[in-house]
Amino acid sequence: MHESLSIPGQTVPCCPTAKNGHRGKLMLITLLTDFGLEDGYVAAMKGVISCIAPQAALIDITHAIAPQNIAAGRFHLMSTYPYFPDRSVHLAVVDPGVGTTRRAVAIETATAFFVGPDNGLFEGVLSQTVALGAVELTEPRYWRNITPSPTFHGRDIFAPVAAHLAMGVPLAALGSKIDPDTLVCLPLPKFALTGSGGVGAIQAIDHFGNLITNIPGALVAGRDWTLSLADRELPGCRTFADVPTGQALAIVGSQGWLTVAVNGGSARAQFQALPGGRVHLRWRDQE
């Protein structure tokens, strides 16, 4: 029988400790949420993970996703997961539908596992890699308890499941098999090529105010190009310093997407832009 923690108004069973057979095993779990750091939500999730997988390395991707902004969570997860070792477990919780009928899922690819709500958060990842399998998390023995809080599945379902995956529990044991093609997709604008270039959209805005589009940077390699936003045509550049301070430009950003930036400033402020805003790619070498 496990000991319990005393919390005013409730009794919370402690998590079981890691099995001896897994001691010394290298495990890595990343966390991405919209919880912020002012409250104890992230710490609670890490505490649950540490009870099950005490030797797992925990790395924060970010907890500064704007509340309920699934699209931003999608982008930052998609942009970050490739830099982690194979077989890492990526725990992502941006979950405005918590407690509803939206599915809780775990997904396996050739290089990683992903755990979180089925609300489009993993769509970006799955646009870059193939899901080898996916399950709906219907097996309560891998949850923190059999009656999870209807407002905190991150602590009570997703965190313990991620820890069990890191400890070697197979995906199939965690719940009911689902077709990866049924995972939720977000209704985001798509990039389309045209005869003179292409039409895309802003998919994310970073901390510096750079406007990251959904146009792949590889398209402009070796080409002379411009990017238009809000009726302004911006030169395609290699570095921020290719234009004077305060001037807007277009560049291939570090995540590999065409990006609208301002040298020494904020493109978000200068253009008053929002995600979803249309951008136009134009080939100058075809004129």
Side-chain angles (χ1 to χ4, degrees):
M1 179 179 298
H2 301 301
E3 298 177 354
S4 63
L5 297 175
S6 294
I7 296 179
Q10 61 180 312
T11 300
V12 182
C14 286
C15 305
T17 56
K19 295 180 180 179
N20 290 336
H22 290 283
R23 294 190 186 279
K25 182 177 179 180
L26 176 62
M27 298 164 283
L28 193 150
I29 301 172
T30 74
L31 297 94
L32 177 149
T33 76
D34 60 348
F35 294 165
L37 296 175
E38 296 87 354
D39 305 298
Y41 302 129
V42 174
M45 292 174 62
K46 291 182 176 181
V48 169
I49 292 169
S50 296
C51 287
I52 298 167
Q55 293 170 310
L58 305 181
I59 296 181
D60 299 302
I61 293 177
T62 181
H63 300 293
I65 301 298
Q68 295 89 48
N69 193 331
I70 299 169
R74 165 197 174 274
F75 175 78
H76 288 290
L77 182 64
M78 169 182 70
S79 301
T80 307
Y81 88 90
Y83 300 102
F84 288 92
D86 284 359
R87 315 308 287 169
S88 295
V89 179
H90 301 284
L91 170 57
V93 187
V94 181
D95 195 14
V98 62
T100 69
T101 57
R102 70 94 185 90
R103 296 184 296 191
V105 298
I107 303 163
E108 181 176 6
T109 71
T111 60
F113 294 96
F114 301 87
V115 179
D118 180 24
N119 58 12
L121 196 53
F122 303 113
E123 180 188 32
V125 169
L126 297 178
S127 72
Q128 299 177 338
T129 188
V130 175
L132 301 181
V135 297
E136 183 175 2
L137 303 177
T138 56
E139 183 47 71
R141 62 178 168 152
Y142 294 109
W143 303 353
R144 192 178 72 90
N145 54 46
I146 62 173
T147 55
S149 164
T151 63
F152 201 176
H153 286 187
R155 177 195 64 195
D156 294 346
I157 298 178
F158 300 131
V161 164
H164 284 298
L165 277 171
M167 291 298 295
V169 172
L171 186 78
L174 301 172
S176 306
K177 182 179 179 181
I178 59 176
D179 183 347
D181 289 339
T182 68
L183 294 168
V184 171
C185 293
L186 290 177
L188 300 174
K190 306 298 182 183
F191 168 67
L193 285 169
T194 66
S196 60
V199 179
I202 300 167
Q203 65 171 324
I205 303 176
D206 70 11
H207 170 74
F208 296 98
N210 298 318
L211 311 178
I212 304 166
T213 79
N214 62 351
I215 305 176
L219 288 176
V220 303
R223 302 292 300 269
D224 187 7
W225 58 283
T226 63
L227 205 62
S228 295
L229 172 66
D231 297 324
R232 288 176 59 185
E233 190 169 34
L234 310 172
C237 299
R238 191 179 68 85
T239 72
F240 299 107
D242 288 345
V243 299
T245 299
Q247 183 171 318
L249 69 154
I251 197 169
V252 179
S254 62
Q255 297 101 337
W257 305 97
L258 297 192
T259 298
V260 176
V262 171
N263 182 18
S266 166
R268 170 170 36 196
Q270 188 169 127
F271 288 89
Q272 295 296 298
L274 296 172
R278 286 291 182 179
V279 290
H280 297 265
L281 170 67
R282 185 165 65 90
W283 306 125
R284 295 184 62 183
D285 51 16
Q286 290 184 356
E287 297 176 350

